[in-house]
Amino acid sequence: MSTPPIQTGQVLTSQQKAQQFKLFEDSLPKVNQLAFQLLLNEVVPLSMAVEEKVFDDKIQVNESEDQTNQKAEDVDNSDASNITKDIEDKLHITPELDLPSHVLIHQISTTNAEKREGVIKRLQSIGFNIGSKLTELLVFKNNPNIRFKDAEVLLIMKFICRDVWKQIYGKQIDNLKTNHRGTFYLFDYDYRPIRNFVVDGDISDPSLLEKETSLAQPFLEIPIGIITGVLSSLGFKSEVVACKASFVDKPDGTSKLNFPKGVSFHIQIVNQ
Amino acid sequence: MSTTDKTSSSHSKSLKIIGDEIWKNKTEKINAELFAMTYGSIVSQLCQDFQRDYKKVNDQLFTMGYNIGVRLIEDFLARTAMPRCEDMVRTAEVISKCAFKIFLNISPQVSNWSPNKEAFSLIFPENPLSEFVELPMDATKDLWYSNILCGVMKGALEMVQLDCDVYFVSDVLRSEQQTEIRVKLNKVLRDEIPIGED
């Protein structure tokens, strides 16, 4: 609104550049943040539902191998049943629904290790995909914040803390710590997707917090994927990057109304 | 009584104003490209998981949408303070002018009414989910890329006691003329009265 006119040929100050960039950002098409948040959070129960189905399919494949001979005999009858199935498909436009999301989220923490592994892998893979595309989106935008010299890893971490987080979660990472030898800690004391999560129960009961964190744990897998995705697209392949997330205490002065714990992402880059 | 006989055109005009106003002033916004990318990542992961069995992918997207819709409606009602719609004509207007405007910043066109006014189509001139998307050859026959939208509408409508079928009729991604979603009312669910009170 009150932007000073920018003359061509004149070298822009970094402040003007930032201002110009902000105007540009604001002019891009937008959608509701809540719609995005719901979509992103729903990926967690989705992954569990898919895991159940894919797992069942694997078992079925093994069983059906035993039954192939028997099936061959049934071929004559199958034509008729195919037709009725087609009609049924047309009549039932609404597919059979999965379990409600909260039940699925609960299942992730109670299911066996193999399935949980599958869910985590799926979540990280979706995050990885988002992360690597997001880099392109952000880098090709003439953002004055972005300057990667020789793919210096600290600059990339700052890029993740500032631009990537801002884009996805609407806020920056609260704290970045590093030993300058490939280890980084990224702290988010108000991690958005779980901000409003709460489990009903007695607050003074220590097992309540344990339950809350174990239910919220899968929601940290997507950002792990995003971080590794961004790093990978900027030259640090996933073989040399290890990323873990854990809950940490919030420092004094941060809101106690939201989720009781902050999140710490621990990133380790192995020497190549 | 005079307020109830407003003509439908003045109804829909005010709905448009409500939708625009909420979108402009009361909505936190994020980049639409990020939204499209995220959805794309989800769909591509599903295609991989189900080994390109696109019917399964459609169903999974639908049920994911359903689970979102049942929660999305809460936010929608809280934000708009919208009263119950008296008929499907009104419902269609609210969906197109308010709901889609507030959540995705688009207003699909309402058309193709059935004679009994219980089924209609939404025509999408643009679709933020499928921006920059091109389907591989084998997916163009069976995949409904944006099927999550059907699930969301199904879930949300069910929560306001409208049992509907919601399904894609055509999609520009399949090189069809337009993107069209059909909404068909099955029945209006009755208010449950607790046993013993009547």
Side-chain angles (χ1 to χ4, degrees), chain B residues 23-34:
Chain B
W23 165 254
K24 231 174 124 189
N25 302 322
K26 292 190 192 157
T27 308
E28 202 181 333
K29 304 170 184 71
I30 61 131
N31 190 340
E33 286 175 37
L34 172 67

Side-chain angles (χ1 to χ4, degrees), chain A residues 201-212:
Chain A
D202 181 8
I203 298 183
S204 56
D205 183 3
S207 71
L208 180 74
L209 184 66
E210 205 178 298
K211 197 174 171 197
E212 281 181 331

Side-chain angles (χ1 to χ4, degrees), chain A residues 123-176:
Chain A
L123 289 169
Q124 290 188 355
S125 155
I126 290 172
F128 187 90
N129 230 317
I130 298 171
S132 46
K133 286 185 212 150
L134 186 60
T135 317
E136 283 175 45
L137 189 80
L138 291 170
V139 168
F140 288 111
K141 264 210 233 144
N142 214 1
N143 184 340
N145 278 334
I146 302 174
R147 214 166 288 130
F148 301 125
K149 282 187 203 117
D150 318 317
E152 220 233 277
V153 68
L154 184 61
L155 287 175
I156 295 174
M157 286 299 163
K158 282 186 179 163
F159 166 70
I160 291 174
C161 294
R162 217 187 272 138
D163 298 279
V164 173
W165 232 251
K166 185 102 186 100
Q167 194 71 226
I168 300 178
Y169 302 114
K171 71 185 282 285
Q172 298 186 2
I173 284 275
D174 295 306
N175 201 351
L176 165 69

Side-chain angles (χ1 to χ4, degrees), chain A residues 50-120:
Chain A
V50 173
E51 186 62 29
E52 286 288 345
K53 286 178 199 169
V54 174
F55 205 82
D56 290 349
D57 279 358
K58 268 185 221 153
I59 295 166
Q60 265 175 16
V61 167
N62 291 337
E63 279 174 4
S64 69
E65 271 165 15
D66 306 335
Q67 291 170 352
T68 31
N69 299 332
Q70 207 191 329
K71 266 196 184 148
E73 293 161 19
D74 293 341
V75 159
D76 298 336
N77 311 333
S78 68
D79 271 358
S81 67
N82 260 346
I83 292 164
T84 47
K85 200 176 172 305
D86 269 5
I87 294 166
E88 271 180 12
D89 273 353
K90 282 207 176 106
L91 287 175
H92 287 99
I93 291 155
T94 306
E96 208 180 304
L97 293 167
D98 290 336
L99 293 166
S101 299
H102 63 277
V103 179
L104 287 165
I105 291 169
H106 212 90
Q107 277 184 357
I108 299 177
S109 58
T110 54
T111 188
N112 63 42
E114 191 183 346
K115 280 188 190 171
R116 189 158 48 235
E117 198 60 36
V119 172
I120 290 171

